[in-house]
PDB file of all heavy atoms in Angstrom:
ATOM      1  N   MET A 170    -127.304 137.903 232.448  1.00 97.00           N
ATOM      2  CA  MET A 170    -127.867 137.230 233.623  1.00 97.00           C
ATOM      3  C   MET A 170    -129.057 137.994 234.204  1.00 97.00           C
ATOM      4  O   MET A 170    -129.425 137.802 235.363  1.00 97.00           O
ATOM      5  CB  MET A 170    -126.788 137.064 234.707  1.00 97.00           C
ATOM      6  CG  MET A 170    -125.626 136.197 234.285  1.00 97.00           C
ATOM      7  SD  MET A 170    -126.168 134.507 233.939  1.00 97.00           S
ATOM      8  CE  MET A 170    -124.595 133.674 233.788  1.00 97.00           C
ATOM      9  N   GLY A 171    -129.619 138.880 233.407  1.00 97.00           N
ATOM     10  CA  GLY A 171    -130.822 139.581 233.838  1.00 97.00           C
ATOM     11  C   GLY A 171    -130.557 140.933 234.484  1.00 97.00           C
ATOM     12  O   GLY A 171    -129.438 141.237 234.902  1.00 97.00           O
ATOM     13  N   ALA A 172    -131.610 141.744 234.532  1.00 97.00           N
ATOM     14  CA  ALA A 172    -131.517 143.090 235.115  1.00 97.00           C
ATOM     15  C   ALA A 172    -131.716 143.004 236.623  1.00 97.00           C
ATOM     16  O   ALA A 172    -132.698 142.437 237.092  1.00 97.00           O
ATOM     17  CB  ALA A 172    -132.577 143.987 234.483  1.00 97.00           C
ATOM     18  N   LYS A 173    -130.755 143.572 237.368  1.00 98.00           N
ATOM     19  CA  LYS A 173    -130.823 143.570 238.833  1.00 98.00           C
ATOM     20  C   LYS A 173    -130.876 145.025 239.315  1.00 98.00           C
ATOM     21  O   LYS A 173    -130.481 145.939 238.592  1.00 98.00           O
ATOM     22  CB  LYS A 173    -129.588 142.883 239.432  1.00 98.00           C
ATOM     23  CG  LYS A 173    -129.305 141.482 238.851  1.00 98.00           C
ATOM     24  CD  LYS A 173    -130.274 140.443 239.362  1.00 98.00           C
ATOM     25  CE  LYS A 173    -130.295 139.168 238.543  1.00 98.00           C
ATOM     26  NZ  LYS A 173    -129.063 138.418 238.452  1.00 98.00           N
ATOM     27  N   ALA A 174    -131.325 145.220 240.536  1.00 98.00           N
ATOM     28  CA  ALA A 174    -131.432 146.580 241.093  1.00 98.00           C
ATOM     29  C   ALA A 174    -130.073 147.279 241.057  1.00 98.00           C
ATOM     30  O   ALA A 174    -129.050 146.690 241.410  1.00 98.00           O
ATOM     31  CB  ALA A 174    -131.946 146.511 242.524  1.00 98.00           C
ATOM     32  N   LEU A 175    -130.061 148.514 240.596  1.00 98.00           N
ATOM     33  CA  LEU A 175    -128.832 149.316 240.539  1.00 98.00           C
ATOM     34  C   LEU A 175    -128.662 149.997 241.902  1.00 98.00           C
ATOM     35  O   LEU A 175    -129.459 150.865 242.274  1.00 98.00           O
ATOM     36  CB  LEU A 175    -128.940 150.349 239.408  1.00 98.00           C
ATOM     37  CG  LEU A 175    -127.744 151.279 239.197  1.00 98.00           C
ATOM     38  CD1 LEU A 175    -126.469 150.492 238.892  1.00 98.00           C
ATOM     39  CD2 LEU A 175    -128.022 152.266 238.055  1.00 98.00           C
ATOM     40  N   ALA A 176    -127.629 149.582 242.633  1.00 98.00           N
ATOM     41  CA  ALA A 176    -127.426 150.081 243.999  1.00 98.00           C
ATOM     42  C   ALA A 176    -127.331 151.608 244.020  1.00 98.00           C
ATOM     43  O   ALA A 176    -126.594 152.207 243.238  1.00 98.00           O
ATOM     44  CB  ALA A 176    -126.150 149.469 244.583  1.00 98.00           C
ATOM     45  N   GLY A 177    -128.097 152.211 244.907  1.00 98.00           N
ATOM     46  CA  GLY A 177    -128.071 153.667 245.047  1.00 98.00           C
ATOM     47  C   GLY A 177    -129.024 154.394 244.122  1.00 98.00           C
ATOM     48  O   GLY A 177    -129.173 155.615 244.222  1.00 98.00           O
ATOM     49  N   PHE A 178    -129.668 153.647 243.213  1.00 98.00           N
ATOM     50  CA  PHE A 178    -130.575 154.272 242.238  1.00 98.00           C
ATOM     51  C   PHE A 178    -131.922 153.552 242.272  1.00 98.00           C
ATOM     52  O   PHE A 178    -132.166 152.656 241.477  1.00 98.00           O
ATOM     53  CB  PHE A 178    -129.956 154.241 240.838  1.00 98.00           C
ATOM     54  CG  PHE A 178    -128.792 155.177 240.686  1.00 98.00           C
ATOM     55  CD1 PHE A 178    -127.536 154.832 241.182  1.00 98.00           C
ATOM     56  CD2 PHE A 178    -128.952 156.422 240.092  1.00 98.00           C
ATOM     57  CE1 PHE A 178    -126.465 155.700 241.084  1.00 98.00           C
ATOM     58  CE2 PHE A 178    -127.882 157.298 239.989  1.00 98.00           C
ATOM     59  CZ  PHE A 178    -126.637 156.939 240.486  1.00 98.00           C
ATOM     60  N   PRO A 179    -132.805 153.963 243.201  1.00 96.00           N
ATOM     61  CA  PRO A 179    -134.097 153.278 243.351  1.00 96.00           C
ATOM     62  C   PRO A 179    -134.868 153.220 242.030  1.00 96.00           C
ATOM     63  O   PRO A 179    -134.829 154.175 241.241  1.00 96.00           O
ATOM     64  CB  PRO A 179    -134.846 154.144 244.376  1.00 96.00           C
ATOM     65  CG  PRO A 179    -133.791 154.951 245.057  1.00 96.00           C
ATOM     66  CD  PRO A 179    -132.665 155.109 244.092  1.00 96.00           C
ATOM     67  N   LYS A 180    -135.504 152.072 241.773  1.00 97.00           N
ATOM     68  CA  LYS A 180    -136.359 151.826 240.595  1.00 97.00           C
ATOM     69  C   LYS A 180    -135.563 151.647 239.293  1.00 97.00           C
ATOM     70  O   LYS A 180    -136.165 151.493 238.227  1.00 97.00           O
ATOM     71  CB  LYS A 180    -137.407 152.936 240.408  1.00 97.00           C
ATOM     72  CG  LYS A 180    -138.368 153.081 241.595  1.00 97.00           C
ATOM     73  CD  LYS A 180    -139.440 154.103 241.337  1.00 97.00           C
ATOM     74  CE  LYS A 180    -138.869 155.516 241.403  1.00 97.00           C
ATOM     75  NZ  LYS A 180    -139.832 156.576 241.333  1.00 97.00           N
ATOM     76  N   GLU A 181    -134.206 151.703 239.369  1.00 98.00           N
ATOM     77  CA  GLU A 181    -133.424 151.513 238.143  1.00 98.00           C
ATOM     78  C   GLU A 181    -132.631 150.211 238.227  1.00 98.00           C
ATOM     79  O   GLU A 181    -132.377 149.683 239.306  1.00 98.00           O
ATOM     80  CB  GLU A 181    -132.511 152.713 237.899  1.00 98.00           C
ATOM     81  CG  GLU A 181    -133.322 153.977 237.654  1.00 98.00           C
ATOM     82  CD  GLU A 181    -132.494 155.119 237.108  1.00 98.00           C
ATOM     83  OE1 GLU A 181    -131.833 155.778 237.932  1.00 98.00           O
ATOM     84  OE2 GLU A 181    -132.502 155.345 235.897  1.00 98.00           O
ATOM     85  N   THR A 182    -132.258 149.695 237.059  1.00 98.00           N
ATOM     86  CA  THR A 182    -131.585 148.392 237.020  1.00 98.00           C
ATOM     87  C   THR A 182    -130.288 148.449 236.220  1.00 98.00           C
ATOM     88  O   THR A 182    -130.081 149.360 235.405  1.00 98.00           O
ATOM     89  CB  THR A 182    -132.493 147.319 236.374  1.00 98.00           C
ATOM     90  OG1 THR A 182    -132.778 147.697 235.018  1.00 98.00           O
ATOM     91  CG2 THR A 182    -133.787 147.125 237.138  1.00 98.00           C
ATOM     92  N   ILE A 183    -129.441 147.449 236.477  1.00 98.00           N
ATOM     93  CA  ILE A 183    -128.226 147.236 235.680  1.00 98.00           C
ATOM     94  C   ILE A 183    -128.226 145.760 235.296  1.00 98.00           C
ATOM     95  O   ILE A 183    -128.572 144.904 236.105  1.00 98.00           O
ATOM     96  CB  ILE A 183    -126.944 147.624 236.468  1.00 98.00           C
ATOM     97  CG1 ILE A 183    -125.687 147.474 235.602  1.00 98.00           C
ATOM     98  CG2 ILE A 183    -126.800 146.822 237.750  1.00 98.00           C
ATOM     99  CD1 ILE A 183    -125.486 148.562 234.585  1.00 98.00           C
ATOM    100  N   THR A 184    -127.860 145.461 234.061  1.00 98.00           N
ATOM    101  CA  THR A 184    -127.824 144.070 233.628  1.00 98.00           C
ATOM    102  C   THR A 184    -126.494 143.448 234.031  1.00 98.00           C
ATOM    103  O   THR A 184    -125.432 144.020 233.790  1.00 98.00           O
ATOM    104  CB  THR A 184    -128.037 143.981 232.105  1.00 98.00           C
ATOM    105  OG1 THR A 184    -129.309 144.564 231.804  1.00 98.00           O
ATOM    106  CG2 THR A 184    -128.021 142.540 231.625  1.00 98.00           C
ATOM    107  N   GLU A 185    -126.578 142.270 234.642  1.00 98.00           N
ATOM    108  CA  GLU A 185    -125.382 141.573 235.097  1.00 98.00           C
ATOM    109  C   GLU A 185    -125.017 140.423 234.152  1.00 98.00           C
ATOM    110  O   GLU A 185    -125.832 140.009 233.335  1.00 98.00           O
ATOM    111  CB  GLU A 185    -125.603 141.049 236.525  1.00 98.00           C
ATOM    112  CG  GLU A 185    -125.810 142.189 237.524  1.00 98.00           C
ATOM    113  CD  GLU A 185    -125.937 141.723 238.963  1.00 98.00           C
ATOM    114  OE1 GLU A 185    -126.066 140.507 239.209  1.00 98.00           O
ATOM    115  OE2 GLU A 185    -125.914 142.592 239.855  1.00 98.00           O
ATOM    116  N   GLY A 186    -123.772 139.941 234.303  1.00 98.00           N
ATOM    117  CA  GLY A 186    -123.362 138.794 233.489  1.00 98.00           C
ATOM    118  C   GLY A 186    -122.001 138.936 232.821  1.00 98.00           C
ATOM    119  O   GLY A 186    -121.602 138.083 232.036  1.00 98.00           O
ATOM    120  N   LEU A 187    -121.260 140.013 233.128  1.00 98.00           N
ATOM    121  CA  LEU A 187    -119.946 140.199 232.496  1.00 98.00           C
ATOM    122  C   LEU A 187    -118.883 139.270 233.092  1.00 98.00           C
ATOM    123  O   LEU A 187    -117.981 138.831 232.384  1.00 98.00           O
ATOM    124  CB  LEU A 187    -119.497 141.659 232.619  1.00 98.00           C
ATOM    125  CG  LEU A 187    -120.247 142.664 231.735  1.00 98.00           C
ATOM    126  CD1 LEU A 187    -119.880 144.086 232.114  1.00 98.00           C
ATOM    127  CD2 LEU A 187    -119.965 142.416 230.253  1.00 98.00           C
ATOM    128  N   ASP A 188    -119.011 138.949 234.386  1.00 98.00           N
ATOM    129  CA  ASP A 188    -118.018 138.066 235.003  1.00 98.00           C
ATOM    130  C   ASP A 188    -118.077 136.682 234.348  1.00 98.00           C
ATOM    131  O   ASP A 188    -119.148 136.076 234.258  1.00 98.00           O
ATOM    132  CB  ASP A 188    -118.282 137.921 236.513  1.00 98.00           C
ATOM    133  CG  ASP A 188    -117.948 139.187 237.282  1.00 98.00           C
ATOM    134  OD1 ASP A 188    -117.405 140.119 236.667  1.00 98.00           O
ATOM    135  OD2 ASP A 188    -118.252 139.246 238.485  1.00 98.00           O
ATOM    136  N   GLY A 189    -116.930 136.217 233.891  1.00 98.00           N
ATOM    137  CA  GLY A 189    -116.875 134.882 233.276  1.00 98.00           C
ATOM    138  C   GLY A 189    -117.431 134.814 231.871  1.00 98.00           C
ATOM    139  O   GLY A 189    -117.533 133.735 231.280  1.00 98.00           O
ATOM    140  N   LEU A 190    -117.816 135.979 231.301  1.00 98.00           N
ATOM    141  CA  LEU A 190    -118.451 135.963 229.975  1.00 98.00           C
ATOM    142  C   LEU A 190    -117.498 135.483 228.884  1.00 98.00           C
ATOM    143  O   LEU A 190    -117.913 134.761 227.979  1.00 98.00           O
ATOM    144  CB  LEU A 190    -119.007 137.355 229.634  1.00 98.00           C
ATOM    145  CG  LEU A 190    -119.741 137.472 228.288  1.00 98.00           C
ATOM    146  CD1 LEU A 190    -120.888 136.480 228.176  1.00 98.00           C
ATOM    147  CD2 LEU A 190    -120.257 138.897 228.076  1.00 98.00           C
ATOM    148  N   ARG A 191    -116.219 135.849 228.975  1.00 98.00           N
ATOM    149  CA  ARG A 191    -115.255 135.416 227.950  1.00 98.00           C
ATOM    150  C   ARG A 191    -115.260 133.885 227.818  1.00 98.00           C
ATOM    151  O   ARG A 191    -115.313 133.339 226.718  1.00 98.00           O
ATOM    152  CB  ARG A 191    -113.867 135.935 228.294  1.00 98.00           C
ATOM    153  CG  ARG A 191    -112.791 135.513 227.318  1.00 98.00           C
ATOM    154  CD  ARG A 191    -111.440 136.118 227.666  1.00 98.00           C
ATOM    155  NE  ARG A 191    -111.253 137.422 227.046  1.00 98.00           N
ATOM    156  CZ  ARG A 191    -110.868 138.525 227.680  1.00 98.00           C
ATOM    157  NH1 ARG A 191    -110.651 138.490 228.986  1.00 98.00           N
ATOM    158  NH2 ARG A 191    -110.698 139.656 227.028  1.00 98.00           N
ATOM    159  N   GLU A 192    -115.231 133.194 228.961  1.00 98.00           N
ATOM    160  CA  GLU A 192    -115.208 131.725 228.953  1.00 98.00           C
ATOM    161  C   GLU A 192    -116.538 131.147 228.457  1.00 98.00           C
ATOM    162  O   GLU A 192    -116.562 130.164 227.709  1.00 98.00           O
ATOM    163  CB  GLU A 192    -114.901 131.197 230.368  1.00 98.00           C
ATOM    164  CG  GLU A 192    -113.497 131.502 230.877  1.00 98.00           C
ATOM    165  CD  GLU A 192    -113.273 132.981 231.253  1.00 98.00           C
ATOM    166  OE1 GLU A 192    -114.261 133.695 231.571  1.00 98.00           O
ATOM    167  OE2 GLU A 192    -112.103 133.425 231.216  1.00 98.00           O
ATOM    168  N   ARG A 193    -117.637 131.768 228.875  1.00 98.00           N
ATOM    169  CA  ARG A 193    -118.953 131.281 228.422  1.00 98.00           C
ATOM    170  C   ARG A 193    -119.114 131.446 226.913  1.00 98.00           C
ATOM    171  O   ARG A 193    -119.672 130.572 226.242  1.00 98.00           O
ATOM    172  CB  ARG A 193    -120.078 132.022 229.163  1.00 98.00           C
ATOM    173  CG  ARG A 193    -120.185 131.590 230.623  1.00 98.00           C
ATOM    174  CD  ARG A 193    -121.476 132.060 231.272  1.00 98.00           C
ATOM    175  NE  ARG A 193    -121.560 133.508 231.391  1.00 98.00           N
ATOM    176  CZ  ARG A 193    -122.566 134.256 230.964  1.00 98.00           C
ATOM    177  NH1 ARG A 193    -123.598 133.715 230.356  1.00 98.00           N
ATOM    178  NH2 ARG A 193    -122.561 135.570 231.140  1.00 98.00           N
ATOM    179  N   LEU A 194    -118.628 132.560 226.384  1.00 98.00           N
ATOM    180  CA  LEU A 194    -118.727 132.783 224.933  1.00 98.00           C
ATOM    181  C   LEU A 194    -117.937 131.726 224.165  1.00 98.00           C
ATOM    182  O   LEU A 194    -118.389 131.246 223.117  1.00 98.00           O
ATOM    183  CB  LEU A 194    -118.235 134.194 224.571  1.00 98.00           C
ATOM    184  CG  LEU A 194    -119.196 135.326 224.945  1.00 98.00           C
ATOM    185  CD1 LEU A 194    -118.486 136.671 224.847  1.00 98.00           C
ATOM    186  CD2 LEU A 194    -120.446 135.315 224.063  1.00 98.00           C
ATOM    187  N   ALA A 195    -116.762 131.362 224.674  1.00 98.00           N
ATOM    188  CA  ALA A 195    -115.962 130.327 224.006  1.00 98.00           C
ATOM    189  C   ALA A 195    -116.729 129.007 223.986  1.00 98.00           C
ATOM    190  O   ALA A 195    -116.762 128.300 222.968  1.00 98.00           O
ATOM    191  CB  ALA A 195    -114.622 130.147 224.727  1.00 98.00           C
TER     192      ALA A 195
END
Side-chain angles (χ1 to χ4, degrees):
M170 297 297 190
K173 308 286 164 61
L175 180 59
F178 289 79
K180 300 184 287 187
E181 296 193 279
T182 62
I183 183 76
T184 301
E185 296 184 349
L187 288 170
D188 288 354
L190 182 56
R191 179 177 272 129
E192 293 73 25
R193 288 193 294 127
L194 286 167

